[in-house]
Amino acid sequence: MTARNRFHLIMICFTVLIAGTLLIKQTASSEQQKIETIGIDYASMNQSVEKVLKDMPEIAKELASIQSGKHENQLDQSFSTSKTEFRLRVKNNLTEQEHSSPFLRGIAEKQTEHYQDALDIAKEAYGITVTEDEIDAYIEENVSTIWDAEKRKYAKSLQLTLNELDYQFDRDVYVMNVLWERVLPIVMQEFPRKRGESGQAYGKRLKEEFFSGQEDSV
């Protein structure tokens, strides 16, 4: 997958459980990935972001922190329920779905917990941790080189520079990307794909097997 397509896929899948989605993305066919792009109106991105920002003042505070130049990149501060909820609401608006605020908030809380769970399982079960340098290197190689109109529009809607968008606001997304790049080959070796198993089914099973490690440790 090209860096450009990867960015578009992230924009579309902002909101799904990162742990499950990235596993599926690695094993899905290009045709399946193309289907996921249907129904997204990037021309409405600016309007959707502005609408959500009005309803979520807590995001304005987070953006102000980034804009101030005093925001520090620290792994334990990368994940934010408010930021996850913001992405859910933007996607909800773009796809014209009708979900209540309490519902989206609940989903955001579960997703944010899953992000931390994934990091914990990777460390405890596989001895894998993600460093800030690895995240920066990933963003530099795969993300910061994308300057297309859709990304510029998104950054402008948030009143962020492209650098601030990549290295700070969307950093949590790339934390998970780095994690899965390291964990996925090990999990796939531990749980090989079965004969006749579709890519989507295999991705779902890998996710379930990975997170079962958390249950086993309880």
Side-chain angles (χ1 to χ4, degrees), residues 59-71:
I59 286 296
K61 293 179 181 179
E62 188 156 355
L63 291 171
S65 174
I66 294 174
Q67 294 159 354
S68 71
K70 299 178 181 179
H71 187 86

Side-chain angles (χ1 to χ4, degrees), residues 155-166:
K156 183 178 180 180
S157 298
L158 296 173
Q159 297 183 18
L160 296 176
T161 66
L162 291 177
N163 186 280
E164 290 169 340
L165 174 67
D166 292 341

Side-chain angles (χ1 to χ4, degrees), residues 46-62:
N46 189 50
Q47 182 179 359
S48 297
V49 170
E50 288 180 355
K51 183 178 185 301
V52 175
L53 286 175
K54 290 180 180 179
D55 296 334
M56 294 190 66
E58 58 269 40
I59 286 296
K61 293 179 181 179
E62 188 156 355

Side-chain angles (χ1 to χ4, degrees), residues 14-218:
F14 267 133
T15 59
V16 280
L17 259 164
I18 293 296
T21 302
L22 291 181
L23 284 171
I24 292 172
K25 183 185 72 173
Q26 295 288 344
T27 54
S29 68
S30 59
E31 288 76 19
Q32 289 171 319
Q33 292 168 5
K34 289 176 183 177
I35 290 172
E36 291 179 13
T37 69
I38 296 175
I40 300 298
D41 181 8
Y42 283 110
S44 301
M45 177 68 75
N46 189 50
Q47 182 179 359
S48 297
V49 170
E50 288 180 355
K51 183 178 185 301
V52 175
L53 286 175
K54 290 180 180 179
D55 296 334
M56 294 190 66
E58 58 269 40
I59 286 296
K61 293 179 181 179
E62 188 156 355
L63 291 171
S65 174
I66 294 174
Q67 294 159 354
S68 71
K70 299 178 181 179
H71 187 86
E72 295 184 5
N73 294 328
Q74 296 181 359
L75 189 60
D76 60 352
Q77 298 179 10
S78 294
F79 304 113
S80 161
T81 298
S82 295
K83 195 159 56 174
T84 304
E85 182 183 355
F86 166 79
R87 291 172 179 149
L88 276 166
R89 290 195 183 200
V90 171
K91 177 175 180 284
N92 194 62
N93 193 288
L94 283 171
T95 55
E96 298 183 347
Q97 298 180 53
E98 296 183 4
H99 295 302
S100 68
S101 295
F103 173 81
L104 293 176
R105 180 69 178 180
I107 296 297
E109 290 175 351
K110 290 180 180 179
Q111 288 185 12
T112 306
E113 290 175 2
H114 248 60
Y115 302 156
Q116 190 59 56
D117 288 346
L119 289 173
D120 292 343
I121 294 171
K123 181 178 181 179
E124 295 170 7
Y126 301 97
I128 292 176
T129 57
V130 176
T131 68
E132 299 298 340
D133 287 343
E134 287 178 311
I135 301 166
D136 286 338
Y138 178 89
I139 294 172
E140 181 178 0
E141 180 179 353
N142 299 286
V143 185
S144 64
T145 55
I146 303 172
W147 303 337
D148 61 13
E150 289 88 353
K151 183 177 179 181
R152 289 180 181 276
K153 182 181 296 183
Y154 178 48
K156 183 178 180 180
S157 298
L158 296 173
Q159 297 183 18
L160 296 176
T161 66
L162 291 177
N163 186 280
E164 290 169 340
L165 174 67
D166 292 341
Y167 286 89
Q168 296 179 53
F169 189 78
D170 281 345
R171 191 176 187 84
D172 54 330
V173 176
Y174 308 129
V175 169
M176 301 311 298
N177 285 11
V178 172
L179 178 71
W180 288 119
E181 281 193 349
R182 296 186 58 190
V183 169
L184 186 58
I186 300 174
V187 179
M188 292 178 70
Q189 184 174 14
E190 186 176 2
F191 304 101
R193 186 171 178 173
K194 298 177 181 178
R195 179 175 296 181
E197 188 174 27
S198 70
Q200 186 171 0
Y202 184 42
K204 181 180 179 180
R205 182 165 65 85
L206 285 176
K207 180 198 71 173
E208 292 171 349
E209 295 286 5
F210 176 82
F211 280 99
S212 69
Q214 182 184 39
E215 298 173 359
D216 294 342
S217 62
V218 174

